[in-house]
Amino acid sequence: MAQGAAAQSRSDMPVPAQPVERTPSVQADIKLTFAPLVKKSAPAVVNVYAAKRVPQRSPFAGDPFFEQFFGNQLRRPRLESSLGSGVIVDADGLVVTNNHVIEGADEVRVALADGREFDAKILLKDRRADLAVLRIESEKPFPVVPIADSDTAEIGDLVLAIGNPFGIGQTVTSGIVSAVARTHVGSDDLGYFIQTDAAINPGNSGGALIDMKGELVGVNTAIFSRSGGSLGIGFAIPSNMVRAFVEAAREGRPFLRPYIGASFVPVTADIAEAIGLDKPAGALVQGVVDGGPASDAGLRPGDVVLAMDGFSIEGPDSLGYRLATAGLGRKTDLTVRSSDGQTERVRLPLEIAPETPARDERTLDGPTPFSGASVANLSPRLADELEMSQTKNGVVVTEIEPRSPAARLGLQPKDIILSLNGREVASTADLEQRAADGRRGWRVDVERDGKVLTQLVR
């Protein structure tokens, strides 16, 4: 009886709808393709060939007999070449690629999909952004890929990667946006990437990541791989960074980051709990320069920047990206959680880093352990050029001659010389004068990577 009731109950339950299986009945069902996008975009994706001459030291160097007969032949420079991809973003011939594709190159050539080749001039390059802009010239306008707004890209969007992997020729792969705002991928300070599972392999660097409108959403730059091939984890520089970089090249100026006069660190779980945040996100103000834009705007150590112009800030890398792409000469709105738990808006001007004090670069020589070192007065502008914190000051080492007394002393570029024989070093002129005062010994205090090192020299 119970079985019958159970059976009756099951028969009354609604039957789930089954998927309808059918063969394609119209042409539109059969031919779903990315071909129109590829035909539109691929002509503007190019191959970039970079070559550099590497000097070779003769194994007979220093031997007068062998140098006389063989030295010149054996010391001919070796030509090293590399291959990458690029994207034409301006009909006048502006090509965007990765900096690592053309780094150190003596010659750069660009080959179009239609077989034409052009000598290229490097207009602008930047290691931290890993971008470079080249110029090629022709009487006819070049095909271009329009630059999209990468802030509109969402996880799950369809994308195509176009480039020249392994030098086999132009190749198109498809995938989706796997993640946005991906950080800690490379060592540069503008590490903020779009992640995709579209296959990206060596040689794709500098190629285009396009959306379903045929617009450039990113420039392919890196892969995560244990084998050297694609594992479905690729990274592209967002197109908004590309746009800001191209504008700098177009205007003939360097790619300058705004100076705000503050340093930031990530928000840990303990810090988030202490100040009442729901999650560990934001950029914690670690230090503020007196008289700088951040100080004048009211930022204080212990404050947490949560958003900029309505975009959430996940950490210092996210804030650095937003600042770099915001543009100079304007003001930005920061949403800040103060150390006392209050949320407020801060209006921050985006200014060019000042070169105060003047760098007054000098190369030291003479009977001193600093001989062979080039030093300069550290300013926010110079600190940015040297990829150092803009809150640092003092006398910084900019270059060291090999096998010089300064090299034997152990000095390195980016070292900040704090004091000499117990007295603070105020400027390059001060260091030069006191280093050559004829003492029989020196005590040198140097800051390197946040640590103070002391060296005694006789």
Side-chain angles (χ1 to χ4, degrees):
M1 189 70 175
Q3 290 179 352
Q8 180 67 35
S9 176
R10 283 195 298 270
S11 66
D12 293 339
M13 294 176 62
V15 178
Q18 298 296 320
V20 177
E21 296 182 357
R22 62 182 178 86
T23 57
S25 58
V26 295
Q27 183 70 13
D29 290 340
I30 301 173
K31 193 173 183 180
L32 296 176
T33 175
F34 294 123
L37 289 177
V38 176
K39 291 177 181 178
K40 175 183 176 182
S41 304
V45 180
V46 301
N47 296 337
V48 178
Y49 301 92
K52 63 179 177 180
R53 294 177 177 84
V54 180
Q56 297 187 88
R57 181 176 175 81
S58 168
F60 304 108
D63 188 308
F65 176 80
F66 283 101
E67 279 196 339
Q68 179 180 0
F69 292 99
F70 306 108
N72 290 335
Q73 294 182 13
L74 293 171
R75 285 197 297 247
R76 287 177 180 171
R78 183 177 72 255
L79 196 65
E80 290 186 353
S81 60
S82 62
L83 172 65
S85 304
V87 190
I88 305 176
V89 295
D90 190 295
D92 290 336
L94 292 186
V95 180
V96 176
T97 187
N98 286 139
N99 176 72
H100 71 258
V101 171
I102 54 90
E103 182 67 21
D106 298 308
E107 301 174 7
V108 180
R109 288 186 64 80
V110 169
L112 273 63
D114 61 12
R116 292 181 294 167
E117 292 192 11
F118 300 88
D119 290 324
K121 177 183 178 182
I122 301 174
L123 295 185
L124 182 63
K125 61 180 181 177
D126 189 283
R127 188 197 68 82
R128 285 177 290 174
D130 196 21
L131 287 172
V133 175
L134 316 176
R135 178 179 288 283
I136 55 178
E137 296 182 350
S138 174
E139 295 180 355
K140 298 181 179 179
F142 291 100
V144 301
V145 176
I147 299 178
D149 179 3
S150 54
D151 285 333
T152 64
E154 295 184 317
I155 297 173
D157 285 353
L158 288 170
V159 288
L160 302 179
I162 310 177
N164 184 6
F166 301 108
I168 62 174
Q170 192 175 82
T171 301
V172 180
T173 56
S174 66
I176 63 170
V177 173
S178 305
V180 295
R182 194 63 96 194
T183 59
H184 303 296
V185 172
S187 59
D188 57 279
D189 73 335
L190 297 178
Y192 190 90
F193 299 93
I194 294 173
Q195 182 182 328
T196 178
D197 67 345
I200 297 174
N201 288 289
N204 270 119
S205 291
L209 188 71
I210 65 170
D211 60 16
M212 293 299 100
K213 297 179 182 177
E215 296 181 348
L216 185 73
V217 73
V219 168
N220 302 322
T221 188
I223 60 173
F224 178 85
S225 175
R226 300 186 187 279
S227 63
S230 173
L231 295 179
I233 303 178
F235 303 95
I237 300 170
S239 58
N240 284 353
M241 173 64 77
V242 175
R243 179 185 287 106
F245 198 83
V246 170
E247 285 302 317
R250 203 178 263 129
E251 296 171 8
R253 58 175 174 82
F255 182 59
L256 300 174
R257 290 93 174 156
Y259 168 67
I260 62 174
S263 58
F264 301 87
V265 294
V267 175
T268 64
D270 291 339
I271 293 174
E273 183 179 359
I275 62 177
L277 290 177
D278 296 333
K279 60 179 181 178
L284 176 67
V285 180
Q286 183 182 43
V288 176
V289 177
D290 290 339
S295 175
D296 293 344
L299 280 181
R300 298 291 179 265
D303 291 347
V304 177
V305 179
L306 300 176
M308 174 178 160
D309 292 336
F311 294 101
S312 61
I313 299 299
E314 298 300 322
D317 288 335
S318 175
L319 179 60
Y321 168 79
R322 291 296 170 191
L323 290 170
T325 56
L328 297 168
R330 59 177 291 262
K331 292 186 177 182
T332 184
D333 288 319
L334 301 181
T335 302
V336 176
R337 184 68 169 265
S338 63
S339 54
D340 60 5
Q342 301 297 317
T343 301
E344 56 189 17
R345 288 284 184 89
V346 172
R347 189 80 166 158
L348 181 70
L350 302 181
E351 303 174 352
I352 296 176
E355 193 161 357
T356 306
R359 62 184 68 191
D360 189 22
E361 190 165 4
R362 302 178 182 222
T363 299
L364 305 180
D365 56 13
T368 164
F370 299 99
S371 180
S374 296
V375 295
N377 296 322
L378 193 57
S379 65
R381 178 82 62 86
L382 180 58
D384 185 59
E385 293 176 10
L386 296 177
E387 303 177 18
M388 301 173 64
S389 170
Q390 294 181 339
T391 60
K392 298 290 184 181
N393 54 53
V395 175
V396 65
V397 177
T398 58
E399 191 175 355
I400 297 290
E401 294 179 7
R403 298 180 293 279
S404 66
R408 292 195 293 271
L409 177 62
L411 289 178
Q412 300 178 10
K414 301 186 185 181
D415 283 351
I416 301 176
I417 301 175
L418 302 175
S419 64
L420 183 60
N421 293 328
R423 292 172 54 194
E424 181 182 356
V425 175
S427 65
T428 56
D430 182 31
L431 174 62
E432 185 175 43
Q433 180 181 2
R434 288 164 51 194
D437 65 0
R439 285 180 175 268
R440 294 173 60 89
W442 290 265
R443 171 178 169 162
V444 186
D445 294 316
V446 173
E447 179 181 334
R448 179 183 300 164
D449 297 329
K451 299 179 180 179
V452 177
L453 309 176
T454 301
Q455 181 74 291
L456 300 175
V457 184
R458 293 189 63 186

